[in-house]
Structures are given as C-alpha cells and as structure tokens.
C-alpha cells in the first residue's frame, strides 16, 4: 500500500494546481517543496522590512480563468488588478508613449506619434486577439504521445479543424502566416512609429535569446498575450497583495480539498522499481511511497538529477539534455522612497501599468545580440512595474516597490562570472532608468539583483531559465518537453511532469498543471478499475 495516491514535487503554481485538482477528485495528495515558502517563482517575499516584492514574476495576466473558477480561488483571496494605463514608454529625447486602457483614448494618445498608427491600433489588437484565442484552444488539444499509443482520438483533430474553419479564410490564413513570422516584420506591416513598434515587440522577446527580427517571435508574442490582454498588450495581472497571493490561494484551495503541503522538504531522488516510480527519497533520508509521482521541477532537474539515469533510454536523455533552457533574464527588485518622474511624464498615474524601456526595434535587436555572444546588454530592454501604486499594502505609507525585468542577461557569460557582475549589472540598470528619469537613483532605499545564476541557485531553475525551457515553435505542442512526450507521462511509469517545462509552457498560466492533473487522474482511475 502506498502512503499517498500522488506526491507532487514542488509547490510552484503549477504543482499547486495539479495538487488542487487531484485532491478535489478525492485523491490523497502530498506536496513537497524544498524552499521554506510556497510559490516557486510566483512568490511574494518581504525582501526588505516593510516592502513586499513579487521577487520573480510580477504579472499573472495569463492565469487560466477556468482554473480559478474550478478551484474557487476568489473565495481563497485571489483578486487580479487591472493595468492602468496599459503601457507607458518614456523617451530620452521626445514625448513618451502612453497607451490607455480605453481603446479610443489609446488611439488618441498614439496619434501624437503617428496618425496612421492610431487608425491601425484597434484592428491590430483585434486581429491578434482572435489568433490568441485560437492558439489557446489548440493548447487544450490532447496531443499524440508515445506513452499512450492508440489513445489519440481523431475526433480531437476534427474539433480543431472545425474551429480553424470557424476562423474564416482570412483569419485562418493569417494564423498560419503570422505564427512563424518575425515580430519586426509583422509590426512593419501595420505601424510607423519606432517607439510604438518597440513597445509592442517587447513581449515577443520574453525569456528568449532572440530579438524581434528572428523568425517565430510573432508566436512568442501570441503565447505571452493569451489571457488578460487586448491582443497586443496585457490588460490585467497584478495580484492584490502580490503574486504570492495567487499561490497562497491555490495552496488554501488544495488544502481545503484535503491535500497536505510540506515546505523546507527537498526531494533527493525519485525511486523507481521495475521502471515505475514508486516513492521519493527526501534529503533527510525519509522515503515516502505513492502510486503516482508528479514533478513540477524543471525537466532537466527531474531527469538529470532526481531520476537514476540508468532507467532511461539514452536517446531520451539526449533529448532532455538538448532542451534549450539557458536563462536570459535578470530581475532587479527595489524599495523606493518616492515614485520616479520620467522626462515629459505628465502625471504620476501614468505609471500604473507596464513601464517599457526600449525605444526602437534596432535597440531590442542589439540587446539580444549581446546576450547571444555571452555579454549582458548595457542597453537592455526593461519591463518595469510599480504595483504599490494600485496596491499600497505592498509598501510603507508613501513608499513604493519597483520590479524590473531585465532581458538579455545570459546565464553563461563569456568573459566574466555572475558573482563579480551582479552589482555591476544592477548599476547598469539603475543608470539606464536614471537616464530616462533624472533623480531616480536618489529615491532607492534598497535593491536586490537576481542574476540567472541566482535564479538557478535560489529558485531551483536549471540554467536559470524562467520558463524551465524556452518558449519557441520547436519547443511547444508535441515537442514539449521533448518530441513524443507531450501528455505529461514519461518513459518511467507513474512518473508525470506538471511544470512549465511541459506543454503549453511557461508563464503563470496554470495550464501544464491543469492538463497534467487530467492525465494523472485518468491513470489513477484506470488503475483502480
Ligand atoms: C524573474 C522572473 C520573472 C517572471 N515574470 C513573469 C511574469 O511577470 N508573468 C508570468 O506569467 N510569468 C513570469 N515568469 C515565469 C513564471 O514565473 C514561471 O513560468 C512559472 O511561475 C513557473 O511555475 P511552475 O509552477 O511551473 O514552476 P516553479 O515556480 O519553478 O515551481 C517549481 C517548484 O519546485 C520546487 N523544487 C525544485 N526542486 C525541488 C526538489 N528537489 N524538491 C522539492 N521541491 C523542489 C522549487 O523550489 C519550486 O517551488 C517569471 C519568471 C522569473 C524567474
């Protein structure tokens, strides 16, 4: 007799989603988390006394609404807050770009940069939204998989075919044409203004080594805009109390359904007998048995560290080793005495959404070039949020927290190491913001710099990759985590994957955890019958 129906390794948001669904279905579930707190990279931490920072992820715009409804997350305290305005992009030597929530107001603001762009903006957002909705439907397709031959239901394809047909000829062709395109080419078809194009191109680069001129970056943008978005820009995604309140709500829901969650407990090994997972071995030497072991840690960690490699086919191991998962993002967390004031910024309320730094497509491309050749960019693109503007509970009265996503900081530095470069990188980012917002430096009370190496060492991300593996057309659908293993099962019986390294990938969507739970439940059910 096993101790549990399922052990979930890791209490990041996906592990908690899986645990919630399994427990809701009446399974006896144990979640084991190596850190002292839950949340994984969706955690809020009081890094500096009195200041609560979403230490890694800052926006949960992609979180699936059906998961929230199924698990009753509202009741457990989850509240998503709007971005308002959607975007503020300062300029060093001209007018900033503001994109309001209200589409008519947005068009009016954009017209001060380009009348043509103002007239195109709404149609562009609508086009992308249609394509993203279709991509989201495709993500839910149960994919053909080696672990379940004969289990692929051709009716699924028919359903998708009908949906594709429902897009209509024009949108259908556009989906097929746009998916492999470069974001730069797509934007050049629609817009003139450099600052608008660069602001919209930014989310096509997130977590990736490539710049917006690379083929396939349009797909990256569609992936990142699924959820609370107008198609081109995220419209909501702050979580009241910080992103950790999303994972706290997930944990409360799972516990209410009966799941047990233990923190500060590291799994050292997944124990297998006759090529089936049967138990986990903890760092303290304890062994806990389960009918199913579900890993939310990244795929490389799961197969190259937790599983005894002799149980794995060398070809599968090679595929796992070849997963592209080299980190390229650094995070800077700041406690501020006051809000920054950017050049020509008309009012402080303009900083309530995403503040984008990165003036042109060329600028973004050059930043990506640096990362490709092993240097962190000295002129990086920054995605900045100041969540304490809409949620003053995050900082002492009158003070603020600032979260800075810095793109193009490669895990492997060619001529230096991250221990020496951590604070220099922090200075680079501060100097860059200072150039747009004179006096900003003097408002900083505390700062924390997380390099890709820190993301690996503190948050357990192999290679420091924030999505556990790059999101790209060749690492999604039936190719994620590796070709042929897209339905959460693995070459080891009763061992499943449910983290961001599984289909449909990273970002705070909950989708890998949700789809994995369905497959695990199917197997647990058939085991009983
Ligand atoms: C700096 C940064 C910024 C980001 N910003 C955003 C954003 O704004 N919006 C967005 O949507 N996404 C963002 N992301 C990506 C997003 O946070 C991730 O894709 C997502 O949170 C991953 O969730 P997960 O549950 O799959 O994995 P994780 O959160 O990585 O969870 C895995 C868990 O497993 C635990 N673990 C590992 N090994 C063991 C072991 N041996 N034993 C027990 N436990 C173990 C880890 O400690 C961790 O808690 C960001 C990521 C980073 C790093």
């Amino acid at each position: 007799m096993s101790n549990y129906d399922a052990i979930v390794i890791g209490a990041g948001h996906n592990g908690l989603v899986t645990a919630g669904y399994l427990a809701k279905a009446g399974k006896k579930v144990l979640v084991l988390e190596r850190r002292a707190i839950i949340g994984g990279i969706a955690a809020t931490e009081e890094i500096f006394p009195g200041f609560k920072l979403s230490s890694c992820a800052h926006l949960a715009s992609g979180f699936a609404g059906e998961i929230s409804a199924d698990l009753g997350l509202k009741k457990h305290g989850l509240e998503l807050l709007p971005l308002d305005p959607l975007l503020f992009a300062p300029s060093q030597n001209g007018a900033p770009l503001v994109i309001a929530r209200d589409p008519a107001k947005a068009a009016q603001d954009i017209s001060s940069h380009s009348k043509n762009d103002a007239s195109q903006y709404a149609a562009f957002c609508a086009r992308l939204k249609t394509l993203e909705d279709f991509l989201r439907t495709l993500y839910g397709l149960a994919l053909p998989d080696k672990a379940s031959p004969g289990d692929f239901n051709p009716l699924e394809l028919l359903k998708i075919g009908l949906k594709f047909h429902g897009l209509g000829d024009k949108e259908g062709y556009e989906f097929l044409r746009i998916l492999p395109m470069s974001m730069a080419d797509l934007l050049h078809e629609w817009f003139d203004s450099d600052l608008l194009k660069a602001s919209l191109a930014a989310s096509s680069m997130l977590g990736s080594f490539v710049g917006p001129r690379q083929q396939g970056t349009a797909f990256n943008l569609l992936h990142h805009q699924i959820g609370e978005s107008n198609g081109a820009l995220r419209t909501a995604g702050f979580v009241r109390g910080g992103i950790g309140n999303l994972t706290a709500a997930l944990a409360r829901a799972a516990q209410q359904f009966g799941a047990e969650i233990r923190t500060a407990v590291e799994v050292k090994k997944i124990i297998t007998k006759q090529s089936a997972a049967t138990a986990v071995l903890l760092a303290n030497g304890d062994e806990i048995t389960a009918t199913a072991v579900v890993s939310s840690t990244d795929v490389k960690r799961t197969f190259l560290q937790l599983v005894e490699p002799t149980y794995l086919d060398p070809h599968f191991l090679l595929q796992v080793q070849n997963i592209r998962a080299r980190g390229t993002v650094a995070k800077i967390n700041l406690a501020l005495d006051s809000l920054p004031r950017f050049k020509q910024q008309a009012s402080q309320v303009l900083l309530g959404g995403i503040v984008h730094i990165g003036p042109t497509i060329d600028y973004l491309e050059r930043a990506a070039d640096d990362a490709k050749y092993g240097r962190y960019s000295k002129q990086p693109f920054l995605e900045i949020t100041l969540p304490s503007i809409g949620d003053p509970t995050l900082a002492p009265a009158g003070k603020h927290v600032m979260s800075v996503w810095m793109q193009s900081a490669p895990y492997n530095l060619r001529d230096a190491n991250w221990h020496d470069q951590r604070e220099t990188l922090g200075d680079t980012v501060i100097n860059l913001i200072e150039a747009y917002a004179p006096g900003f430096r003097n408002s900083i009370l505390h700062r924390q710099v997380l390099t890709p190496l820190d993301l690996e060492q503190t948050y357990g991300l192999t290679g420091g990759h924030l999505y556990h593996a790059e999101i790209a057309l060749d690492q999604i659908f039936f190719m994620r985590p590796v070709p042929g293993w897209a339905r959460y099962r693995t070459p080891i019986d009763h061992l499943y994957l449910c983290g961001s390294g599984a289909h449909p990938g990273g970002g705070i969507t909950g989708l890998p955890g949700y789809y994995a739970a369905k497959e695990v439940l199917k197997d647990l059910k058939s085991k009983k019958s």
Side-chain angles (χ1 to χ4, degrees):
M1 267 296 274
S2 298
N3 300 124
Y4 292 89
D5 292 319
I7 289 175
V8 177
I9 306 174
H13 84 287
N14 277 312
L16 292 168
V17 167
T18 300
Y21 276 95
L22 296 182
K24 190 179 176 196
K27 301 300 167 198
K28 193 175 172 202
V29 181
L30 172 65
V31 183
L32 299 170
E33 168 55 48
R34 66 182 257 285
R35 293 192 79 211
I37 57 167
I38 62 153
I41 38 183
T44 300
E45 302 177 62
E46 195 168 322
I47 302 171
F48 321 113
F51 294 86
K52 291 189 211 149
L53 283 130
S54 295
S55 35
C56 293
H58 51 192
L59 290 167
S61 29
F63 192 71
E66 65 262 47
I67 300 176
S68 192
D70 287 350
L71 300 181
L73 298 188
K74 234 182 183 171
K75 183 178 80 190
H76 291 291
L78 175 64
E79 189 190 348
L80 282 193
L81 301 175
L83 302 179
D84 192 9
L86 304 184
L87 184 108
F88 175 79
S91 164
Q92 282 199 50
N93 42 27
L97 170 71
V98 184
I99 304 188
R101 281 185 74 75
D102 172 50
K105 173 85 174 68
Q108 195 187 333
D109 290 339
I110 293 170
S111 73
S112 64
H113 290 261
S114 157
K115 298 249 176 306
N116 166 63
D117 294 359
S119 68
Q120 295 272 71
Y121 174 71
F124 180 74
C125 294
R127 162 72 45 83
L128 292 198
K129 189 75 187 150
T130 307
L131 306 188
E132 284 149 20
D133 288 349
F134 182 64
L135 184 64
R136 172 69 178 79
T137 309
L138 283 186
Y139 278 173
L141 175 68
L143 296 161
D145 178 67
K146 282 188 188 164
S148 33
D151 192 26
F152 181 66
N153 183 352
L155 280 179
E156 293 276 352
L157 268 188
L158 190 67
K159 261 196 290 184
I160 293 296
L162 285 174
K163 294 239 178 206
F164 186 70
H165 183 68
L167 280 177
D169 280 355
K170 187 154 191 231
E171 302 298 335
Y173 281 125
E174 281 302 84
F175 184 76
L176 296 174
R177 187 181 77 90
I178 288 176
L179 216 57
M181 266 179 100
S182 88
M183 198 57 211
D185 287 342
L186 178 63
L187 288 163
H188 291 323
E189 288 181 355
W190 288 78
F191 300 116
D192 300 326
S193 152
D194 280 338
L195 189 52
L196 177 66
K197 283 192 275 191
S199 301
L200 299 180
S203 64
S204 75
M205 291 174 74
L206 297 177
S208 160
F209 256 80
V210 296
R213 294 197 195 288
Q214 176 79 27
Q215 306 304 309
T217 40
F219 159 73
N220 288 2
L221 177 116
L222 297 183
H223 174 90
H224 284 102
Q225 295 298 333
I226 285 176
E228 300 286 334
S229 158
N230 67 5
L233 290 168
R234 287 160 281 175
T235 52
F238 289 128
V239 175
R240 188 176 295 287
I243 208 104
N245 258 2
L246 166 65
T247 36
L250 281 166
R252 281 194 284 269
Q255 283 165 324
Q256 195 194 41
F257 292 125
E260 194 185 326
I261 300 172
R262 294 191 211 159
T263 53
V265 177
E266 181 167 3
V267 171
K268 272 284 174 211
K269 284 280 168 222
I270 296 168
I271 297 173
T272 52
K273 282 192 188 132
Q274 291 160 348
S275 76
T278 55
V280 296
L281 175 70
L282 307 184
N284 69 4
D286 288 354
E287 198 176 306
I288 312 175
T289 59
T291 310
V293 176
V294 193
S295 176
S296 77
T297 71
D298 66 74
V299 181
K300 290 192 189 224
R301 184 167 299 260
T302 302
F303 290 106
L304 306 179
Q305 289 186 24
L306 299 183
V307 169
E308 184 55 58
T310 45
Y311 293 113
L312 289 165
D313 166 24
H315 178 65
F316 177 80
L317 273 180
L318 191 66
Q319 286 180 306
V320 170
Q321 273 157 356
N322 287 342
I323 293 172
R324 280 198 317 283
R326 299 160 299 157
T328 176
V329 170
K331 181 79 193 297
I332 296 89
N333 293 313
L334 300 167
L336 303 181
D337 196 32
S338 58
L339 286 172
R341 172 69 77 170
F342 290 89
K343 288 178 181 171
Q344 297 194 38
Q345 178 194 331
S347 109
Q348 293 210 324
V349 295
L350 294 177
L351 306 182
I354 289 173
V355 178
H356 163 90
I357 289 188
T360 63
I361 294 275
D362 280 350
Y363 175 103
L364 302 183
E365 192 67 29
R366 274 195 289 269
D369 285 345
D370 277 331
K372 273 182 233 161
Y373 297 107
R375 301 179 294 264
Y376 67 82
S377 172
K378 302 288 187 318
Q379 296 277 296
F381 128 58
L382 305 179
E383 176 183 287
I384 301 172
T385 58
L386 291 138
S388 50
I389 293 180
D391 181 1
T393 64
L394 298 173
K399 315 240 183 278
H400 287 278
V401 289
M402 188 193 236
S403 164
V404 185
W405 169 311
M406 180 215 168
Q407 181 73 31
S408 303
Y411 174 78
N412 291 310
L413 288 176
R414 179 173 281 187
D415 301 317
N417 70 68
W418 276 121
H419 293 298
D420 296 341
Q421 292 300 309
R422 182 180 297 106
E423 295 312 320
T424 322
L425 174 133
D427 293 343
T428 301
V429 170
I430 303 302
N431 292 340
L432 180 60
I433 302 175
E434 173 80 22
Y436 285 82
F440 164 70
R441 193 182 288 115
N442 297 333
S443 69
I444 300 172
L445 299 172
H446 307 280
R447 91 173 184 196
Q448 179 201 42
V449 180
L450 295 172
T451 69
L453 184 65
D454 298 320
L455 294 177
E456 178 173 69
Q457 292 179 342
T458 308
Y459 295 92
L461 303 172
T462 305
H465 203 286
L466 73 168
Y467 299 140
H468 293 195
E470 262 180 45
I471 306 284
L473 274 173
D474 64 338
Q475 292 201 152
I476 200 78
F477 292 115
F478 62 89
M479 290 161 294
R480 194 174 185 97
V482 299
W485 294 99
R487 275 172 77 177
Y488 315 99
R489 296 179 186 82
T490 71
I492 295 179
D493 285 345
H494 312 155
L495 173 63
Y496 302 82
L497 298 171
C498 72
S500 291
H503 175 72
I508 300 179
T509 64
L511 292 175
Y514 171 48
Y515 296 137
K518 284 191 183 182
E519 299 298 327
V520 177
L521 278 173
K522 237 191 255 174
D523 290 357
L524 287 176
K525 219 164 134 194
S526 70
K527 257 191 139 274
K528 265 209 166 131
S529 54

